[in-house]
Amino acid sequence: MLAAIGLDEAHESAYRALVSVGAADVPDLARRLAIGEYDTERTLRRLERHGLAAQSSARPGRWVAAPPGVALSALLTQRRHELDQAELTAALLAEEYRTGAAEPAVHDLVEVVIGAAAVTRRFLQLQLGATEEVCALVTGNPVAVTSGENDAEEQAAGRGVRYRVVLERAVLDLPDGVTELTAALGRGEQVRVVDKVPTKLVIADRTLALVPLTSPTAEPAALVVHASGLLELLRGLFESVWRDALPLRPGPSGATERAPDGPDPADLEVLSLLLAGLTDASVAKQLDVGLRTVQRRVRRLMELTGATTRLQLGWHAHDRGWVARG
């Protein structure tokens, strides 16, 4: 817990032990920590340098714990100051970079990243560095980055970064596809589905893009595209796919309120997922309900609209404003 102020687990354990007894000599503390006396004394010396422990003036060889409220507050204040200085330095470097890149050379507009580890690292960096929006086209055959490795998405969304994601329908057939979709919708991400996306693509803050370059025999590679005409082209590609994709709408599963002649929120959630191409079984799995529950809701929707087929149900649902692309 005290790693943020420069103490590793061993030193934190020693300080906690010393605080619990108030004062102790080296042999006693070594027994409590189950380590050698030499290592215990080295640990105490480091705590002394941090102002967390001191040798007793009344009893030589005895060590006394500094009051945590005073000693730790001082270390926290120092670390906050260091972080403020680091943030200032980062801002100055960013400004220097922007100034130097005002007129970049053509060869600086595109980076080539080679190797699965390098591609994964750049993919995560794009999201961790985003401050406004991340747009992505996702295919059903991940090469360098799998869904389980993308913790950066959760972190960025937690910071308020907007996500607009278009999934290839095959993604929903992956073992964890529906689980990942549920998590994304739960984070407030906007997700749409199409039969096929033209390419994998990630765009961060409309200023940086990552496009994989993959062949069946070659090592994974990718292009990192900076602000340029090529980036504008990639943005246009994403927006075109986004416009034509079917939206997935999150809904409060288990909601029961409904108008007498209309669907309730859970009905609309089922309808949205079905129109996006999920099977009844996949919808049931995502909503954590039984297959019969999904089928019962579909039958009720067909009764409400007078539809005799699911194709007619989709048409009537759009005509009544129950679903929409936007």
Side-chain angles (χ1 to χ4, degrees), residues 136-139 165-172 177 181 191-197 248:
L137 302 180
V138 182
T139 67
V165 180
V166 180
L167 299 178
E168 193 170 80
R169 205 177 303 279
V171 173
L172 302 176
L181 171 61
V191 183
R192 297 187 178 187
V193 178
V194 293
D195 287 331
K196 194 81 173 173
V197 299
L248 290 172

Side-chain angles (χ1 to χ4, degrees), residues 108-176:
D108 292 331
L109 297 177
V110 177
E111 305 172 39
V112 179
V113 182
I114 300 175
V119 173
T120 299
R121 185 164 54 250
R122 290 297 268 148
F123 174 74
L124 300 179
Q125 286 174 346
L126 251 69
Q127 297 180 83
L128 291 173
T131 59
E132 296 180 7
E133 183 182 57
V134 172
C135 301
L137 302 180
V138 182
T139 67
N141 56 332
V143 177
V145 183
T146 63
S147 58
E149 293 177 318
N150 192 12
D151 294 335
E153 181 176 343
E154 184 174 351
Q155 295 179 38
R159 290 187 285 107
V161 176
R162 297 186 303 275
Y163 270 79
R164 287 193 293 151
V165 180
V166 180
L167 299 178
E168 193 170 80
R169 205 177 303 279
V171 173
L172 302 176
D173 296 327
L174 296 175
D176 57 352

Side-chain angles (χ1 to χ4, degrees), residues 179-222:
T179 301
E180 292 295 327
L181 171 61
T182 303
L185 292 174
R187 290 190 293 266
E189 298 181 19
Q190 298 181 58
V191 183
R192 297 187 178 187
V193 178
V194 293
D195 287 331
K196 194 81 173 173
V197 299
T199 181
K200 295 174 184 154
L201 174 65
V202 180
I203 304 175
D205 290 341
R206 301 178 296 280
T207 60
L208 204 61
L210 182 73
V211 185
L213 299 174
T214 307
S215 69
T217 58
E219 185 178 12

